[in-house]
Amino acid sequence: HVAKFAQVYQTDPSNYFVLLIITDGIITDFEETKSALVNASSLPMSVIIVGVGNEDFSAMEILDGDNGRLQSNGQLAKRDIVQFVELRKFVQSGQGWNKALLAKAVLAEIPSQVCSWMKSNGFNPRPRT
């Protein structure tokens, strides 16, 4: 649904959407998910996935696109729009979890994703007033 909102605003550089997905499991419709992300890669949106628990999240790493752009049915994603973070990497046994480092990791790619979308669509930043 977020992709539909983003599609409506793709000619307006003042709107950009971020979808946060928190999951404790493995993707059961991996190929459909890849296809949806590749199709959404030209839209003003990013997807943040936070993996919670001790599942094998290796499929999420593929969606992240840090090791190469995502591909589905022979179509290459226009740009990387996914950031995947495993929550357990920020949990310190007996001490809770490091919220600041988690927030930094979760939001790390958003600025470059926004800039890449704007650049690929010919939008320039507005001058500061």
Side-chain angles (χ1 to χ4, degrees), residues 21-84:
I21 299 171
I22 300 173
T23 182
D24 66 351
I26 302 169
I27 298 175
T28 57
D29 54 353
F30 187 70
E31 292 304 318
E32 292 169 355
T33 301
K34 278 191 347 181
S35 179
L37 291 169
V38 167
N39 290 334
S41 67
S42 64
L43 299 174
M45 67 177 286
S46 293
V47 179
I48 298 170
I49 304 170
V50 178
V52 178
N54 294 317
E55 290 292 332
D56 174 12
F57 291 113
S58 55
M60 301 293 187
E61 296 291 348
I62 295 169
L63 298 179
D64 192 316
D66 286 346
N67 297 320
R69 277 192 286 168
L70 193 59
Q71 185 173 337
S72 177
N73 300 319
Q75 183 181 0
L76 196 61
K78 303 276 190 245
R79 59 192 184 87
D80 176 20
I81 65 168
V82 178
Q83 171 69 341
F84 172 69

Side-chain angles (χ1 to χ4, degrees), residues 94-113:
Q95 300 175 8
W97 48 297
N98 192 323
K99 296 173 189 172
L101 286 179
L102 174 63
K104 183 178 180 181
V106 165
L107 300 173
E109 294 182 10
I110 299 295
S112 63
Q113 291 174 351

